[in-house]
Each structure stands twice: as structure tokens, then as C-alpha cells.
Coordinates of all heavy atoms in Angstrom, one line a residue:
M1348 N -45.4 135.2 35.4 CA -45.4 136.1 34.3 C -46.7 137.0 34.4 O -46.6 138.2 34.2 CB -45.5 135.3 33.0 CG -45.4 136.1 31.7 SD -43.7 136.6 31.4 CE -43.9 137.9 30.3
D1349 N -47.8 136.4 34.7 CA -49.0 137.2 34.9 C -48.9 138.2 36.0 O -49.2 139.3 35.9 CB -50.2 136.3 35.1 CG -50.7 135.6 33.9 OD1 -50.3 136.0 32.8 OD2 -51.6 134.8 34.0
L1350 N -48.3 137.7 37.1 CA -48.0 138.6 38.3 C -47.1 139.7 37.9 O -47.3 140.9 38.2 CB -47.4 137.8 39.4 CG -48.3 137.2 40.5 CD1 -47.4 136.5 41.5 CD2 -49.1 138.3 41.1
A1351 N -46.0 139.4 37.1 CA -45.1 140.4 36.7 C -45.7 141.5 35.8 O -45.5 142.7 35.9 CB -43.9 139.8 36.0
R1352 N -46.7 141.1 35.0 CA -47.4 142.0 34.1 C -48.3 142.8 34.9 O -48.4 144.0 34.8 CB -48.2 141.2 33.1 CG -47.4 140.6 32.0 CD -48.0 141.1 30.7 NE -47.1 140.6 29.6 CZ -47.1 139.4 29.1 NH1 -47.9 138.5 29.5 NH2 -46.3 139.1 28.2
K1353 N -49.0 142.2 35.8 CA -50.1 142.8 36.6 C -49.4 143.9 37.5 O -50.0 145.0 37.7 CB -50.8 141.8 37.5 CG -52.2 142.3 37.9 CD -52.9 141.1 38.6 CE -52.3 140.8 40.0 NZ -52.7 139.6 40.6
N1354 N -48.3 143.6 38.0 CA -47.6 144.6 38.9 C -46.7 145.6 38.2 O -45.9 146.3 38.8 CB -46.9 143.9 39.9 CG -47.8 143.2 40.9 OD1 -48.6 143.8 41.6 ND2 -47.8 141.8 41.0
A1355 N -46.8 145.6 36.9 CA -46.1 146.6 36.1 C -44.5 146.5 36.2 O -43.8 147.4 35.9 CB -46.5 148.0 36.4
C1356 N -44.1 145.3 36.6 CA -42.6 145.0 36.6 C -42.0 145.2 35.2 O -40.9 145.7 35.1 CB -42.3 143.6 37.1 SG -43.3 143.1 38.5
M1357 N -42.8 144.9 34.2 CA -42.3 144.8 32.9 C -42.1 146.2 32.3 O -41.5 146.4 31.3 CB -43.2 144.0 32.0 CG -43.5 142.6 32.5 SD -42.1 141.7 33.2 CE -41.3 141.0 31.8
A1358 N -42.7 147.2 33.0 CA -42.5 148.6 32.6 C -41.0 149.0 32.6 O -40.5 149.8 31.9 CB -43.3 149.6 33.4
C1359 N -40.3 148.4 33.6 CA -38.9 148.8 33.8 C -37.9 147.6 33.5 O -36.8 147.8 33.2 CB -38.6 149.2 35.2 SG -39.4 150.7 35.6
H1360 N -38.4 146.4 33.6 CA -37.5 145.2 33.4 C -37.9 144.5 32.1 O -39.0 144.3 31.8 CB -37.7 144.2 34.5 CG -37.2 144.7 35.8 ND1 -35.9 144.6 36.2 CD2 -37.8 145.2 36.8 CE1 -35.7 145.1 37.4 NE2 -36.9 145.5 37.8
G1361 N -36.8 144.2 31.3 CA -37.0 143.3 30.2 C -36.8 141.9 30.6 O -36.2 141.7 31.7
L1362 N -37.2 140.9 29.9 CA -36.9 139.5 30.2 C -35.4 139.3 30.2 O -34.8 138.6 31.1 CB -37.7 138.6 29.4 CG -39.1 138.2 29.8 CD1 -39.7 137.2 28.9 CD2 -39.1 137.7 31.3
V1363 N -34.8 139.7 29.1 CA -33.4 139.4 28.9 C -32.5 140.6 29.0 O -31.5 140.5 29.8 CB -33.3 138.8 27.5 CG1 -31.8 138.5 27.2 CG2 -34.1 137.6 27.2
H1364 N -32.8 141.7 28.4 CA -31.8 142.8 28.4 C -32.2 143.9 29.4 O -33.3 144.0 29.8 CB -31.7 143.3 27.0 CG -31.2 142.3 26.0 ND1 -29.9 141.8 26.1 CD2 -31.9 141.6 25.1 CE1 -29.8 140.9 25.2 NE2 -30.9 140.7 24.5
K1365 N -31.2 144.7 29.7 CA -31.4 145.8 30.5 C -32.4 146.9 29.9 O -32.2 147.2 28.7 CB -30.1 146.5 30.8 CG -30.1 147.6 31.8 CD -28.6 147.9 32.2 CE -28.5 148.7 33.4 NZ -28.8 150.1 33.3
Q1366 N -33.4 147.3 30.6 CA -34.1 148.5 30.2 C -33.8 149.5 31.2 O -32.8 150.0 31.3 CB -35.6 148.1 30.1 CG -35.8 147.1 28.9 CD -37.2 146.7 28.7 OE1 -38.2 147.2 29.4 NE2 -37.5 145.8 27.7
V1367 N -34.9 149.9 32.0 CA -34.6 150.8 33.1 C -33.8 150.0 34.2 O -32.8 150.4 34.7 CB -35.9 151.4 33.7 CG1 -35.6 152.3 34.9 CG2 -36.6 152.1 32.6
G1368 N -34.3 148.8 34.5 CA -33.7 147.9 35.5 C -33.0 146.8 34.7 O -33.3 146.6 33.5
P1369 N -32.3 146.0 35.4 CA -31.7 144.8 34.8 C -32.7 143.8 34.2 O -33.8 143.7 34.8 CB -30.9 144.2 35.9 CG -31.5 144.7 37.2 CD -32.0 146.1 36.9
G1370 N -32.3 143.1 33.2 CA -33.2 142.1 32.7 C -33.3 140.9 33.7 O -32.4 140.7 34.4
F1371 N -34.4 140.3 33.7 CA -34.6 139.2 34.7 C -33.7 138.1 34.5 O -33.3 137.4 35.4 CB -36.1 138.7 34.6 CG -37.1 139.8 35.3 CD1 -38.3 140.0 34.8 CD2 -36.7 140.5 36.4 CE1 -39.2 140.8 35.3 CE2 -37.5 141.4 36.9 CZ -38.8 141.6 36.4
V1372 N -33.3 137.8 33.2 CA -32.3 136.7 33.0 C -31.0 137.1 33.6 O -30.3 136.4 34.2 CB -32.1 136.5 31.5 CG1 -30.9 135.5 31.3 CG2 -33.4 135.8 31.0
Q1373 N -30.6 138.4 33.5 CA -29.4 138.9 34.1 C -29.4 138.7 35.6 O -28.4 138.3 36.3 CB -29.2 140.4 33.8 CG -28.9 140.6 32.3 CD -28.8 142.2 32.0 OE1 -29.8 142.9 32.1 NE2 -27.6 142.6 31.8
I1374 N -30.5 139.1 36.2 CA -30.7 138.8 37.7 C -30.5 137.4 38.0 O -29.8 137.0 38.9 CB -32.0 139.4 38.1 CG1 -32.1 140.9 37.8 CG2 -32.2 139.2 39.6 CD1 -33.5 141.5 38.1
A1375 N -31.2 136.5 37.3 CA -31.1 135.1 37.6 C -29.7 134.6 37.5 O -29.3 133.8 38.3 CB -32.0 134.3 36.6
E1376 N -29.0 135.0 36.5 CA -27.6 134.6 36.3 C -26.7 135.0 37.5 O -25.9 134.3 38.0 CB -27.0 135.2 35.1 CG -27.8 134.9 33.8 CD -27.0 133.9 32.9 OE1 -26.2 134.3 32.1 OE2 -27.3 132.7 33.1
R1377 N -26.9 136.2 37.9 CA -26.1 136.8 39.0 C -26.3 136.0 40.3 O -25.4 135.8 41.1 CB -26.5 138.2 39.2 CG -25.8 138.9 40.3 CD -25.9 140.4 40.1 NE -25.3 141.1 41.2 CZ -25.1 142.5 41.1 NH1 -25.4 143.1 40.0 NH2 -24.6 143.1 42.1
Y1378 N -27.5 135.6 40.6 CA -27.8 135.0 41.8 C -28.0 133.5 41.7 O -28.5 132.8 42.6 CB -29.1 135.6 42.5 CG -28.9 137.1 42.8 CD1 -29.7 138.0 42.0 CD2 -28.1 137.5 43.8 CE1 -29.5 139.3 42.3 CE2 -27.9 138.8 44.0 CZ -28.7 139.8 43.3 OH -28.6 141.1 43.6
R1379 N -27.6 132.9 40.6 CA -27.9 131.5 40.3 C -27.5 130.5 41.4 O -28.1 129.7 41.8 CB -27.1 131.1 38.9 CG -27.2 129.7 38.6 CD -28.1 129.3 37.4 NE -28.2 130.2 36.3 CZ -29.4 130.5 35.8 NH1 -30.5 130.1 36.4 NH2 -29.5 131.3 34.7
N1380 N -26.3 130.8 42.1 CA -25.8 129.9 43.1 C -26.0 130.4 44.5 O -25.3 130.0 45.5 CB -24.3 129.6 42.8 CG -24.1 128.8 41.5 OD1 -24.9 128.0 41.2 ND2 -23.2 129.3 40.7
D1381 N -26.9 131.3 44.7 CA -27.1 132.0 46.0 C -28.4 131.5 46.6 O -29.4 131.8 46.2 CB -27.1 133.5 45.7 CG -27.2 134.3 47.0 OD1 -27.5 133.7 48.1 OD2 -26.9 135.4 47.0
A1382 N -28.2 130.7 47.7 CA -29.3 130.1 48.3 C -30.2 131.1 49.0 O -31.4 130.9 49.3 CB -28.9 129.0 49.3
T1383 N -29.6 132.3 49.4 CA -30.4 133.2 50.1 C -31.1 134.2 49.2 O -31.9 135.1 49.6 CB -29.5 134.1 51.1 OG1 -28.6 134.9 50.3 CG2 -28.7 133.2 52.0
A1384 N -30.9 134.0 47.8 CA -31.5 135.0 46.9 C -33.0 135.1 46.9 O -33.5 136.3 46.9 CB -30.9 134.7 45.5
P1385 N -33.7 134.0 47.0 CA -35.2 134.2 46.9 C -35.7 135.1 48.0 O -36.5 136.0 47.8 CB -35.7 132.8 47.0 CG -34.6 131.9 46.6 CD -33.3 132.6 46.9
A1386 N -35.2 134.9 49.3 CA -35.7 135.8 50.3 C -35.3 137.2 50.2 O -36.0 138.1 50.4 CB -35.2 135.2 51.7
R1387 N -34.0 137.4 49.8 CA -33.5 138.7 49.7 C -34.2 139.5 48.6 O -34.5 140.7 48.7 CB -32.0 138.7 49.5 CG -31.3 138.6 50.8 CD -29.8 139.0 50.6 NE -29.1 138.0 49.7 CZ -28.4 138.5 48.6 NH1 -28.3 139.7 48.4 NH2 -27.9 137.6 47.8
L1388 N -34.4 138.8 47.5 CA -35.0 139.5 46.3 C -36.5 139.8 46.7 O -36.9 140.9 46.2 CB -34.9 138.7 45.1 CG -33.4 138.6 44.5 CD1 -33.4 138.0 43.1 CD2 -32.7 139.9 44.6
A1389 N -37.1 138.9 47.3 CA -38.5 139.1 47.7 C -38.6 140.4 48.5 O -39.5 141.2 48.4 CB -39.1 137.9 48.4
D1390 N -37.7 140.6 49.4 CA -37.6 141.7 50.2 C -37.4 143.0 49.4 O -38.0 144.0 49.6 CB -36.5 141.5 51.3 CG -36.5 142.5 52.3 OD1 -37.6 142.6 53.0 OD2 -35.5 143.3 52.5
K1391 N -36.5 142.9 48.5 CA -36.1 144.0 47.6 C -37.3 144.4 46.7 O -37.4 145.6 46.4 CB -34.9 143.7 46.8 CG -33.6 143.8 47.6 CD -32.5 144.0 46.6 CE -31.3 144.4 47.4 NZ -30.2 144.9 46.5
I1392 N -38.0 143.4 46.3 CA -39.1 143.7 45.4 C -40.1 144.6 46.2 O -40.7 145.6 45.6 CB -39.8 142.4 44.9 CG1 -38.9 141.7 43.9 CG2 -41.1 142.7 44.3 CD1 -39.2 140.3 43.5
R1393 N -40.3 144.3 47.4 CA -41.3 145.1 48.2 C -40.7 146.4 48.7 O -41.5 147.4 48.8 CB -41.8 144.3 49.3 CG -42.6 143.0 48.9 CD -43.3 142.4 50.0 NE -44.5 143.2 50.4 CZ -45.1 143.2 51.6 NH1 -44.5 142.6 52.6 NH2 -46.2 143.9 51.8
N1394 N -39.5 146.4 49.0 CA -38.9 147.6 49.6 C -38.1 148.5 48.7 O -37.7 149.6 49.1 CB -38.1 147.2 50.9 CG -38.9 146.6 51.9 OD1 -39.9 147.2 52.3 ND2 -38.6 145.4 52.4
G1395 N -37.9 148.0 47.5 CA -37.1 148.8 46.6 C -35.6 148.5 46.7 O -35.2 147.8 47.6
S1396 N -34.9 149.1 45.8 CA -33.5 148.7 45.7 C -32.7 149.8 45.0 O -33.2 150.5 44.1 CB -33.3 147.4 45.0 OG -31.9 147.1 44.7
V1397 N -31.5 150.1 45.3 CA -30.6 151.0 44.6 C -29.2 150.6 44.8 O -28.8 150.0 45.9 CB -30.9 152.4 45.0 CG1 -30.4 152.7 46.4 CG2 -30.1 153.4 43.9
G1398 N -28.3 150.8 43.8 CA -26.9 150.6 44.0 C -26.4 149.2 43.7 O -25.2 149.0 43.6
T1399 N -27.3 148.3 43.5 CA -26.8 146.9 43.2 C -26.4 146.8 41.8 O -25.4 146.1 41.4 CB -27.9 145.9 43.5 OG1 -28.4 146.2 44.8 CG2 -27.3 144.5 43.6
W1400 N -27.1 147.5 40.9 CA -26.9 147.4 39.5 C -26.4 148.7 38.8 O -26.1 148.7 37.7 CB -28.2 146.9 38.7 CG -28.5 145.5 39.1 CD1 -29.2 145.1 40.2 CD2 -28.2 144.3 38.4 NE1 -29.3 143.8 40.2 CE2 -28.7 143.2 39.2 CE3 -27.5 144.1 37.2 CZ2 -28.6 141.9 38.7 CZ3 -27.4 142.7 36.8 CH2 -27.9 141.7 37.6
G1401 N -26.6 149.8 39.6 CA -26.2 151.0 39.0 C -26.8 152.1 39.8 O -27.1 151.9 41.0
R1402 N -27.0 153.3 39.3 CA -27.5 154.4 40.1 C -29.0 154.6 40.0 O -29.6 155.5 40.6 CB -26.9 155.7 39.6 CG -25.5 155.8 39.9 CD -24.8 156.8 38.9 NE -23.4 156.9 39.3 CZ -22.9 157.8 40.0 NH1 -23.7 158.8 40.4 NH2 -21.6 157.9 40.2
V1403 N -29.7 153.8 39.2 CA -31.1 154.0 39.1 C -31.8 153.3 40.2 O -31.5 152.1 40.5 CB -31.6 153.4 37.7 CG1 -33.0 153.8 37.4 CG2 -30.7 153.9 36.5
I1404 N -32.8 153.9 40.7 CA -33.5 153.4 41.9 C -34.7 152.5 41.4 O -35.4 152.9 40.4 CB -34.1 154.6 42.7 CG1 -33.0 155.3 43.3 CG2 -35.1 154.1 43.7 CD1 -33.5 156.6 43.9
M1405 N -34.9 151.4 42.0 CA -36.1 150.7 41.8 C -37.0 151.1 43.0 O -36.7 150.9 44.1 CB -35.9 149.2 41.9 CG -37.2 148.4 42.0 SD -37.1 146.7 41.5 CE -38.5 146.1 42.3
P1406 N -38.1 151.8 42.7 CA -39.0 152.2 43.8 C -39.7 151.0 44.5 O -39.8 150.0 43.9 CB -40.0 153.1 43.0 CG -40.0 152.7 41.6 CD -38.6 152.1 41.3
R1407 N -40.0 151.2 45.7 CA -40.7 150.2 46.5 C -42.0 149.8 45.8 O -42.7 150.7 45.3 CB -40.9 150.6 47.9 CG -41.8 151.8 48.0 CD -41.9 152.2 49.4 NE -41.4 151.1 50.3 CZ -41.6 151.1 51.6 NH1 -42.3 152.1 52.2 NH2 -41.1 150.1 52.3
Q1408 N -42.3 148.5 45.8 CA -43.5 148.1 45.1 C -44.4 147.7 46.2 O -44.6 146.5 46.6 CB -43.2 146.9 44.2 CG -42.1 147.1 43.2 CD -42.5 148.1 42.1 OE1 -43.6 148.0 41.5 NE2 -41.6 149.0 41.8
S1409 N -45.0 148.7 46.9 CA -45.7 148.4 48.2 C -47.0 147.8 48.0 O -47.6 147.3 48.9 CB -45.8 149.7 49.0 OG -46.2 150.8 48.2
L1410 N -47.5 147.8 46.7 CA -48.8 147.1 46.5 C -48.6 145.6 46.3 O -49.6 144.8 46.3 CB -49.4 147.6 45.2 CG -49.8 149.1 45.3 CD1 -50.4 149.6 44.0 CD2 -50.8 149.3 46.4
V1411 N -47.4 145.2 46.2 CA -47.1 143.7 46.1 C -47.2 143.1 47.4 O -46.5 143.5 48.3 CB -45.7 143.5 45.4 CG1 -45.4 142.0 45.3 CG2 -45.7 144.2 44.0
S1412 N -48.0 142.0 47.6 CA -48.1 141.4 48.9 C -46.8 140.6 49.1 O -46.0 140.2 48.2 CB -49.3 140.5 48.9 OG -49.1 139.3 48.0
E1413 N -46.6 140.2 50.4 CA -45.4 139.4 50.7 C -45.4 138.1 49.9 O -44.5 137.6 49.4 CB -45.6 139.0 52.2 CG -44.5 138.1 52.8 CD -43.2 138.7 52.9 OE1 -43.1 139.9 53.4 OE2 -42.2 138.0 52.5
A1414 N -46.7 137.4 49.9 CA -46.7 136.2 49.2 C -46.4 136.4 47.6 O -45.7 135.6 47.1 CB -48.1 135.6 49.3
D1415 N -46.9 137.4 47.1 CA -46.7 137.7 45.7 C -45.2 138.0 45.4 O -44.6 137.5 44.4 CB -47.5 138.9 45.1 CG -49.0 138.4 44.9 OD1 -49.3 137.2 45.0 OD2 -49.7 139.3 44.5
A1416 N -44.5 138.6 46.3 CA -43.1 139.0 46.2 C -42.3 137.7 46.2 O -41.3 137.6 45.4 CB -42.7 139.9 47.3
Q1417 N -42.7 136.8 47.0 CA -42.0 135.5 47.1 C -42.1 134.7 45.7 O -41.1 134.2 45.2 CB -42.6 134.5 48.1 CG -42.5 135.0 49.5 CD -41.1 134.9 50.2 OE1 -40.3 134.2 49.7 NE2 -41.0 135.5 51.4
V1418 N -43.3 134.8 45.2 CA -43.5 134.1 43.9 C -42.7 134.8 42.8 O -42.0 134.1 42.0 CB -45.0 134.1 43.5 CG1 -45.3 133.6 42.1 CG2 -45.9 133.3 44.5
L1419 N -42.7 136.2 42.8 CA -42.0 136.9 41.8 C -40.5 136.7 41.9 O -39.9 136.5 40.9 CB -42.3 138.4 42.0 CG -43.7 138.8 41.4 CD1 -44.1 140.2 42.0 CD2 -43.7 138.9 39.9
A1420 N -40.0 136.6 43.2 CA -38.5 136.4 43.3 C -38.2 135.1 42.7 O -37.2 134.9 42.0 CB -38.1 136.5 44.8
R1421 N -39.0 134.1 43.0 CA -38.6 132.7 42.5 C -38.8 132.7 41.0 O -38.0 132.0 40.3 CB -39.5 131.6 43.1 CG -38.7 131.0 44.3 CD -39.5 130.0 45.0 NE -40.7 130.7 45.5 CZ -41.5 130.4 46.5 NH1 -41.4 129.4 47.0 NH2 -42.5 131.2 46.8
W1422 N -39.8 133.4 40.5 CA -40.0 133.4 39.1 C -38.8 134.1 38.3 O -38.3 133.6 37.4 CB -41.3 134.1 38.7 CG -41.5 134.3 37.2 CD1 -42.0 133.4 36.4 CD2 -41.4 135.5 36.5 NE1 -42.0 133.9 35.1 CE2 -41.7 135.2 35.2 CE3 -40.9 136.8 36.8 CZ2 -41.6 136.1 34.1 CZ3 -40.8 137.8 35.8 CH2 -41.2 137.4 34.5
V1423 N -38.4 135.2 38.9 CA -37.2 135.9 38.3 C -36.0 135.0 38.3 O -35.3 134.9 37.2 CB -36.9 137.2 39.1 CG1 -35.6 137.8 38.6 CG2 -38.0 138.3 38.9
L1424 N -35.8 134.3 39.4 CA -34.6 133.5 39.5 C -34.7 132.3 38.6 O -33.6 131.7 38.3 CB -34.4 133.1 41.0 CG -34.0 134.3 41.9 CD1 -34.1 133.9 43.4 CD2 -32.5 134.7 41.6
A1425 N -35.9 131.9 38.2 CA -35.9 130.7 37.3 C -35.8 131.1 35.9 O -35.8 130.2 35.0 CB -37.4 130.1 37.5
Q1426 N -35.6 132.3 35.5 CA -35.4 132.8 34.1 C -34.2 132.2 33.5 O -33.2 132.2 34.1 CB -35.5 134.2 33.9 CG -36.8 134.9 34.4 CD -37.9 134.3 33.7 OE1 -38.0 134.2 32.5 NE2 -38.9 133.7 34.5
Q1427 N -34.3 131.7 32.3 CA -33.1 131.1 31.6 C -32.9 131.9 30.4 O -33.8 132.4 29.7 CB -33.4 129.6 31.1 CG -33.8 128.6 32.2 CD -32.6 128.2 33.0 OE1 -31.4 128.4 32.5 NE2 -32.8 127.6 34.2
P1428 N -31.6 132.1 30.1 CA -31.3 132.8 28.8 C -31.9 132.1 27.6 O -32.0 130.8 27.6 CB -29.8 132.8 28.7 CG -29.3 131.9 29.8 CD -30.4 131.6 30.7
P1429 N -32.3 132.8 26.6 CA -32.9 132.2 25.4 C -31.8 131.3 24.7 O -30.6 131.6 24.7 CB -33.3 133.3 24.5 CG -32.6 134.5 25.1 CD -32.2 134.2 26.5
A1430 N -32.2 130.2 24.1 CA -31.3 129.3 23.5 C -30.7 130.0 22.2 O -31.4 130.8 21.6 CB -32.1 128.0 23.0
R1431 N -29.4 129.9 22.1 CA -28.8 130.5 21.0 C -28.5 129.6 19.8 O -28.2 128.5 20.1 CB -27.5 131.2 21.4 CG -27.6 132.6 21.9 CD -26.4 133.1 22.4 NE -26.2 132.6 23.8 CZ -26.1 133.5 24.8 NH1 -25.9 134.7 24.6 NH2 -26.0 133.0 26.1
Ligands
HEC1535 C1 -39.7 152.1 38.0 C2 -38.9 151.0 37.4 C3 -39.0 149.6 38.1 C4 -40.2 148.8 38.4 C5 -41.7 149.3 38.1 C6 -39.7 147.6 38.8 N1 -38.4 147.6 38.9 FE1 -37.1 146.0 39.6 N2 -35.5 147.2 39.4 C7 -35.5 148.5 38.8 C8 -34.1 149.0 38.9 C9 -33.7 150.3 38.4 C10 -33.3 148.0 39.5 C11 -31.8 148.0 39.9 C12 -31.7 148.5 41.4 C13 -30.3 148.4 41.9 O1 -29.3 148.7 41.3 O2 -30.2 148.1 43.1 C14 -34.2 146.9 39.9 C15 -33.8 145.6 40.4 C16 -34.7 144.5 40.6 C17 -34.3 143.3 41.1 C18 -32.8 142.9 41.6 C19 -32.4 143.4 42.9 C20 -31.0 143.1 43.4 O3 -30.8 143.2 44.5 O4 -30.3 142.6 42.5 C21 -35.4 142.5 41.1 C22 -35.4 141.0 41.6 C23 -36.5 143.2 40.6 N3 -36.0 144.5 40.3 C24 -37.7 142.8 40.5 C25 -38.8 143.5 40.2 C26 -40.3 143.1 40.2 C27 -40.7 141.7 40.5 C28 -41.0 144.2 39.9 C29 -42.6 144.2 39.9 C30 -43.2 144.0 41.1 C31 -40.1 145.3 39.6 N4 -38.9 144.9 39.8 C32 -40.6 146.6 39.3 C33 -36.6 149.2 38.3 C34 -37.9 148.8 38.4

């Protein structure tokens, strides 16, 4: 959470709902059963992404270190929907 704040991820991503980018809970649900997701998302966090969720581009986050990207990917994937 601190890393996500520090790297301005929250400027575009909500925790639950879509803002500019998909909500982190939505991302977690989508990749819940995908064993390759942590590595792929870590890569996308650093290199940017487009076309997976829509037409909006996620710019590359080149200031994020490889290690931080791994932590962020795992953090995103660990998000749970709020209890209803
Ligand atoms: C300028 C806005 C913006 C910022 C800043 C941003 N994102 Fe994104 N993010 C997006 C958009 C838009 C998408 C959807 C891209 C797509 O459709 O492929 C996305 C997609 C993602 C995905 C899913 C990729 C996939 O393949 O499903 C992850 C994970 C992610 N962002 C994490 C992060 C993290 C972590 C940070 C902070 C280091 C961050 N984002 C900062 C806009 C942003």
C-alpha cells in the first residue's frame, strides 16, 4: 500500500472500482488462478500496458525498480473484494 501510494499508482487505479485504470480488486479477480500472473504483471508495471482492459494506456513506470514491481504485482493480486 505504501509503495502503491509512493509510486502514484493510486492516481489512476482505485482499490475496487475502475478509475482511469482497472481497480486492483478487478485485476486480482481476473488473474486469481493464473500462476504466471505475478511475473507478467510485474513486467507490465514497469513497461506499461495497453489493450488488456480497454483503450487507455498505462504508461511505463520506469522509476519503479524490478524488486518493487514484484512486490506491487503480488500486492495487487492479493486484493480481496470488500465484504458485502
Ligand atoms: C497514468 C495512469 C496509470 C498509472 C499512474 C498507473 N496505472 Fe496501472 N493501469 C492503467 C491503465 C489505463 C491500465 C489498463 C491497461 C490495459 O488495458 O492494458 C492499467 C493496468 C494495470 C495492471 C493490469 C495489467 C494487465 O495486464 O492486466 C496492473 C497490475 C497495474 N496497472 C498496476 C499499476 C501499478 C502497480 C502502478 C504504480 C506503479 C500503476 N499501475 C500506475 C493506468 C495507470
Side-chain angles (χ1 to χ4, degrees):
M1348 189 76 197
D1349 281 353
L1350 265 181
R1352 285 235 173 78
K1353 200 174 72 192
N1354 290 297
C1356 314
M1357 308 318 276
C1359 295
H1360 291 279
L1362 273 182
V1363 179
H1364 297 293
K1365 189 167 194 285
Q1366 291 181 4
V1367 179
F1371 287 144
V1372 169
Q1373 294 176 289
I1374 298 173
E1376 303 253 275
R1377 178 161 174 167
Y1378 298 111
R1379 175 110 33 234
N1380 298 313
D1381 185 344
T1383 66
R1387 276 197 297 126
L1388 293 191
D1390 191 59
K1391 283 203 166 190
I1392 289 167
R1393 295 193 76 210
N1394 293 310
S1396 172
V1397 66
T1399 314
W1400 294 83
R1402 287 157 182 261
V1403 190
I1404 294 171
M1405 168 160 158
R1407 62 183 346 192
Q1408 310 289 317
S1409 40
L1410 295 177
V1411 178
S1412 70
E1413 175 73 42
D1415 282 358
Q1417 301 277 352
V1418 174
L1419 283 164
R1421 264 176 302 199
W1422 175 77
V1423 169
L1424 290 166
Q1426 295 309 302
Q1427 300 283 346
R1431 266 173 279 234

